[in-house]
Amino acid sequence: MSAATDVTLELDDIQRGVLSPRPTPYAATYLVFRIDDPSQGRELMRRASAAATSAADTSSPLGDTWVSVAVTYWGLQALRVPRCSLESFAWEFRQGMAARARALRDEGASSPQHWEAPLGTRDVHVVITAIAPDPPRLEAAIDRARPAYDHLSGVTAIWRQDCSALPTEKEHFGYLDGISHPAVEGSGIPGSNRLEAPLKGGEFVLGYPDEIGGVQTPQPAALGRNGSYAVFRKLHQNVAAFRRYLRDNSTGAQDEELIAAKIMGRWRSGAPLALAPQHDDPALGTDSRRRNTFLYAQDDPMGFTTPGGCHIRRANPRDSAVAGEVRLHRMIRRGAVYGPPLPEGVLQDDGTDRGLMFAFIGAHLGRQFEFVQSQWMNDGVFFGAGNTKDPVVGVVDGQTGYTIPRRPVRRRLAPLPSFVVSRGGEYCFLPSLSALRWLGDLHD
């Protein structure tokens, strides 16, 4: 890893959506646009530069409310960005998410042919995201962004997804969400795990040194610096199937909650097994100072408390002994719930679409998002567990069970069905505020 350096991020030029954790509770909206006329698309970029919020704007009257603007590779093409600039972007970004389906294990029901239109197509050019602590402030954020796209005949709104926290502030499977957030050098935003050293700014923001001393910057620097890559995915959750699996594999209500915790790595209150191994601790789950401050190697190297195959340990092995360097695969993750909850106790699907809109932020699509998705979520070789999959979001075969390490005999559960199905998404570039203006000033 590179030596420590004093690097100051240019927060007033970085979009706030790159670095800031979402508020809790929250309401959010994703708006997707197609650019039909390059000059109108450039006008959208000029207007968007005024609507987007900077990472330095954390004490404004709007509070935890902001607007982010992202552009796909097809969007950059529609804006007529010069070919030499387009070719300087990450090759995964240039291919797009649908073309990366095999690497991402988007197969079967999750394959692009089944995605919700227009996700995964070349019509997805611009994604505007608004987020706020509640619906009234969300509407204010959308009103703030609306002048950016209103009355532009060459820009067409083609998709919208509204999201909001459930009354329980949990996601549809019942777990408290939005707990983990890495510290980024120079951001001024503390991480959620005080035992994890801050990561280099270049892991998340383009144009700065990363963990191995490299600097990734699409060209020209006026376009690439202070930007980032964002992965947007719509994930449908089969809540009834998840509930039935817990019920069918448990001996009662208490055991059902234990299995739920062993699958996720946390109790549904948010309390981690690492700090509450025997019983749930709701007070710990709501304590943002303690609930994510833990490691694995010293106290639980074999996964008897927090299974190596559980969701949170796969997503971030922390200091576990695994193949590779964990810090090179860290991302900023944000989830936002969409759809109404399935009523408590219901075990049959009601046909309603519900799930999570996920955003993954990083400067390295390949070694961050794609690596985690393919190697940690959909393989187990990295921690010595063969080809096992993540029990929550992995692409399972319906024939492999979930194993809970236990002395003297491990506990094996029934084969896992698919609980999560991809409805589509896209790889995006989050330009800096000055880069939005640069895009607006392009000429044919």
Side-chain angles (χ1 to χ4, degrees):
M1 299 300 96
S2 59
T5 56
D6 294 326
V7 174
T8 301
L9 299 179
E10 296 167 354
L11 298 178
D12 59 346
D13 195 38
I14 299 169
Q15 291 199 54
R16 187 168 175 192
V18 173
L19 296 170
S20 294
R22 63 162 170 73
T24 301
Y26 63 86
T29 291
Y30 288 80
L31 301 167
V32 171
F33 299 88
R34 184 185 68 241
I35 297 171
D36 300 309
D37 179 87
S39 64
Q40 298 272 285
R42 293 166 188 165
E43 178 61 24
L44 173 63
M45 295 296 101
R46 283 192 290 271
R47 296 182 184 183
S49 69
T53 316
S54 83
D57 190 19
T58 58
S59 58
S60 73
L62 292 173
D64 288 329
T65 301
W66 64 85
V67 172
S68 296
V69 181
V71 187
T72 68
Y73 178 72
W74 321 117
L76 294 177
Q77 281 190 331
L79 291 167
R80 305 284 174 83
V81 170
R83 173 60 53 185
C84 58
S85 292
L86 292 173
E87 292 177 351
S88 69
F89 281 85
W91 66 273
E92 298 94 345
F93 170 72
R94 301 199 307 268
Q95 287 192 308
M97 185 183 290
R100 304 295 298 156
R102 184 174 180 182
L104 297 175
R105 300 300 303 274
D106 282 338
E107 304 165 349
S110 291
S111 65
Q113 69 191 70
H114 300 303
W115 286 1
E116 182 177 320
L119 301 181
T121 73
R122 298 190 178 194
D123 284 341
V124 176
H125 292 164
V126 179
V127 181
I128 295 179
T129 307
I131 190 161
D134 52 53
R137 278 179 280 187
L138 177 66
E139 285 306 311
I142 295 173
D143 288 343
R144 181 183 176 192
R146 187 168 286 113
Y149 56 82
D150 261 359
H151 309 301
L152 290 175
S153 59
V155 176
T156 304
I158 59 174
W159 189 79
R160 174 172 178 160
Q161 181 65 64
D162 295 320
C163 306
S164 63
L166 296 177
T168 59
E169 295 187 16
K170 298 181 178 181
E171 51 75 57
H172 287 294
F173 290 152
Y175 298 93
L176 192 68
D177 195 23
I179 291 173
S180 181
H181 182 82
V184 183
E185 283 188 3
S187 71
I189 301 171
S192 56
N193 184 357
R194 289 175 288 130
L195 301 177
E196 180 183 43
L199 287 103
K200 300 296 182 186
E203 289 297 309
F204 306 98
V205 185
L206 297 163
Y208 297 87
D210 60 23
E211 285 287 308
I212 57 178
V215 178
Q216 308 297 317
T217 314
Q219 297 301 306
L223 173 61
R225 183 174 171 83
N226 290 325
S228 187
Y229 291 112
V231 179
F232 295 99
R233 280 169 78 81
K234 181 176 181 178
L235 302 176
H236 169 78
Q237 294 176 267
N238 190 334
V239 180
F242 187 74
R243 290 177 180 176
R244 291 196 302 271
Y245 186 83
L246 295 179
R247 181 201 62 181
D248 294 346
N249 284 273
S250 66
T251 59
Q254 186 174 351
D255 189 46
E256 186 172 319
E257 289 305 309
L258 176 62
I259 292 174
K262 291 292 185 178
I263 284 174
M264 180 60 65
R266 292 183 184 274
W267 300 91
R268 292 202 265 201
S269 70
L273 284 168
L275 301 179
Q278 301 299 327
H279 304 283
D280 191 7
D281 184 348
L284 172 62
T286 59
D287 188 341
S288 61
R289 290 178 52 84
R290 295 192 300 136
R291 66 189 181 192
N292 201 45
T293 302
F294 60 88
L295 299 172
Y296 297 121
Q298 180 175 330
D299 300 325
D300 189 29
M302 303 303 294
F304 285 109
T305 299
T306 308
C310 74
H311 179 69
I312 70 165
R313 195 157 176 169
R314 281 177 175 268
N316 178 16
R318 304 188 185 217
D319 63 334
S320 299
V322 299
E325 172 53 57
V326 171
R327 289 174 68 83
L328 297 183
H329 310 299
R330 296 286 277 124
M331 294 176 290
I332 293 173
R333 298 175 177 84
R334 300 199 190 97
V337 172
Y338 75 85
L342 185 67
E344 195 67 32
V346 173
L347 297 176
Q348 298 299 320
D349 185 60
D350 62 357
T352 300
D353 187 22
R354 57 177 59 87
L356 285 168
M357 281 295 296
F358 250 113
F360 302 84
I361 309 294
H364 303 272
L365 286 171
R367 69 168 168 83
Q368 291 173 325
F369 175 71
E370 290 203 351
F371 179 92
V372 172
Q373 183 73 10
S374 62
Q375 301 302 309
W376 288 358
M377 295 294 104
N378 285 294
D379 208 335
V381 172
F382 76 101
F383 70 103
N387 65 347
T388 60
K389 310 295 192 293
D390 183 280
V392 181
V393 301
V395 181
V396 298
D397 57 11
Q399 300 179 17
T400 303
Y402 181 65
T403 300
I404 300 174
R406 188 178 61 174
R407 294 186 177 96
V409 180
R410 64 186 178 180
R411 183 178 183 180
R412 293 193 62 106
L413 305 182
L416 289 158
S418 291
F419 299 127
V420 174
V421 175
S422 174
R423 297 290 196 220
E426 193 50 86
Y427 289 165
C428 296
F429 171 56
L430 279 164
S432 68
L433 299 184
S434 59
L436 287 171
R437 294 190 290 271
W438 184 91
L439 289 167
D441 291 338
L442 284 171
H443 299 285
D444 289 325

